[in-house]
Amino acid sequence: METPSVAAAVWLMAAFDPILIVVAAYFGWKADQAGKLVVAVIAALTAAVLAAWAITSLGLPWIAPVGGDHPSLLPVRTVAALVWSSAAYGIRRMRAG
């Protein structure tokens, strides 16, 4: 059984996946309505999990690997994608006036 600090570290790594951040922030920035953040979350989640799975399958190290012996942490990634896309959406709305 994992200790709580190890589990928290794995969750943080999944939340700070660079592909997840870039895709979520891009789509959040481009969204013109808050409802479109759902699309941003789905796109970021899909891109991040597929990229992490491909990188892990090649045997390369990755910040948040996905595979048979690694958890996918979909709830953590989903919440993180919502946070990143909402932040980008909010920043763009504030800059627009």
Side-chain angles (χ1 to χ4, degrees):
M1 185 171 170
E2 291 185 34
T3 62
S5 62
V6 172
V10 172
W11 285 30
L12 280 174
M13 288 188 290
F16 287 97
D17 184 339
I19 294 172
L20 180 88
I21 294 170
V22 168
V23 174
Y26 175 77
F27 280 103
W29 187 267
K30 293 293 185 178
D32 57 356
Q33 300 172 0
K36 292 182 181 177
L37 294 178
V38 173
V39 175
V41 169
I42 293 170
L45 183 63
T46 302
V49 170
L50 288 176
W53 173 77
I55 292 168
T56 305
S57 295
L58 293 173
L60 300 172
W62 187 244
I63 188 169
V66 175
D69 55 343
H70 301 289
S72 60
L73 298 172
L74 293 178
V76 174
R77 291 176 195 263
T78 303
V79 170
L82 181 61
V83 168
W84 291 114
S85 63
S86 296
Y89 176 76
I91 291 169
R92 181 166 182 243
R93 301 258 320 172
M94 286 185 347
R95 284 188 60 201

